[in-house]
Amino acid sequence: MSVLEKITSEDAIALEDKYGAHNYHPLPAVLSRGEGVFVWDVEGKKYYDFLSAYSAVNQGHCHPKIVGAMVNQAQTLTLTSRAFYNDVLGKFEKYATETFKFDKLLPMNTGAEAVETALKLCRKWAYEKKGIPENKAQIIVCENNFHGRTTTIISFSNDPVARTNFGPYTDGFIKIEYDNIEALREAIENNANIAGFLVEPIQGEAGVYVPSEGYLKAAKELCEKHNVLFIADEVQTGIARTGRLLATCGNCSCADKHCSGTPEVKPDILILGKALSGGAYPVSAVLANDAIMGVIQPGNHGSTFGGNPIAAVVGMAALDVVKDEELAQNAFELGELFRAELNTFIANSNIVNAVRGKGLLNAILINDTEESSTAWDICMALKENGLLAKPTHGNIIRFAPPLVMNKEQLLDCVAIITKTLKAFEK
Ligand SMILES: *Cc1c(COP(=O)(O)O)cnc(C)c1O
């Protein structure tokens, strides 16, 4: 079979099934084209994308500005490694650090690599600046976290599917309940070896779990008091997804472009990925001020592809689009509308218990057991009706469309979702 030959959905699925490792369980939609909020399958059926590649495609599919920058750079210079300088990395670092208000940026490729980078940075800071004795540093993490798939990261996961039979596990992590400030206080107080607190401002993979108002702020204050680094994993929540440039911006009233307000929480270490790429090309980054990033010296850390010229221009274009098109503002407004519409439906529904989220990172909780197939069945029906979404944990369905959606499209999607859900009412 020629690679250019047209393929049916059935054949594409069969190929992946036979030749690919079975490390995912995809919805049976075989996509061959995307534009803005839409994707098309190989048979030509059009869908609203309500996952956005787990929030990597915030700027919409194939955004011309991002693709243009990528193609142009790809025809000029693709990779130098960091053995030499390139003429765009510095510009990206300047742009991103000014946007997020940190002194320095360390570029990587994927979210998991950026999390690993943040953990190494935190540990090195702990030994060299805080004075924790060698190999004693501990980092506090939260139950039901999702930070990626490396051996160290899954070591502090509590998801048996992600963890089982991948041991021995990496030491040095203490797990506490999410959204429980007393648990954090207990873990931090009376333990001089705590180096950092790694947290998702909203737990995305866990089912879009939004912590109580004031939790992050109180957590940051505790960290400050005990000289513990507050590490925000904004790989999924960052870059306008939750209606602010960052979820840690909280209710800072700026809502969008060129924020000059004071964020609710200013992390010591900020981890970005996913939408920093506009969905075009892997780009991730760790940001911190000099007092922390200064501990990293030549040879301590690196990546062949991290900070490559294509990634640098893609990262800049991805941030440009977020600012130019005021995507944070749009996500904020459409998110309010989406939850209001869904809540109206839920008031008379026995299949959906609740909708929760911030901006355009939302989830509905299906009224069925964790083990039931109802959420999957609903996603299959949504697919038939022209909208792609995926269950997260058992009976939860995440709704995260590209942020370039307009109000008319959102209401169209609400109509598809409510029509589909009605067919499942008991
Ligand atoms: C997706 C995700 C990661 C991992 O990113 P990859 O690019 O898949 O390695 C880390 N943290 C959070 C919160 C994520 O959502």
Side-chain angles (χ1 to χ4, degrees), residues 24 53-54 109-115 146-150 153 200-205 233-237 271 273-274 282 284 398:
Y24 278 89
Y54 303 100
N109 312 286
T110 64
E113 285 174 307
V115 171
F146 182 85
H147 296 288
R149 302 298 200 161
T150 66
I153 292 171
E200 299 159 86
I202 293 172
Q203 287 190 327
E205 296 309 301
D233 181 348
E234 292 237 28
V235 171
Q236 186 161 159
T237 53
I271 307 169
K274 295 200 166 109
S284 70
R398 172 174 29 200

Side-chain angles (χ1 to χ4, degrees), residues 109-122:
N109 312 286
T110 64
E113 285 174 307
V115 171
E116 287 278 347
T117 302
L119 297 172
K120 286 173 72 178
L121 176 60
C122 177

Side-chain angles (χ1 to χ4, degrees), residues 4 30 45 66 98 124 130 181 187 224 252 283 360 383:
L4 296 174
V30 179
K45 186 174 162 75
I66 300 170
E98 283 173 2
K124 200 157 191 292
K130 182 164 175 168
I181 198 70
E224 258 170 44
C252 161
V283 190
L360 283 178
K383 172 182 174 290

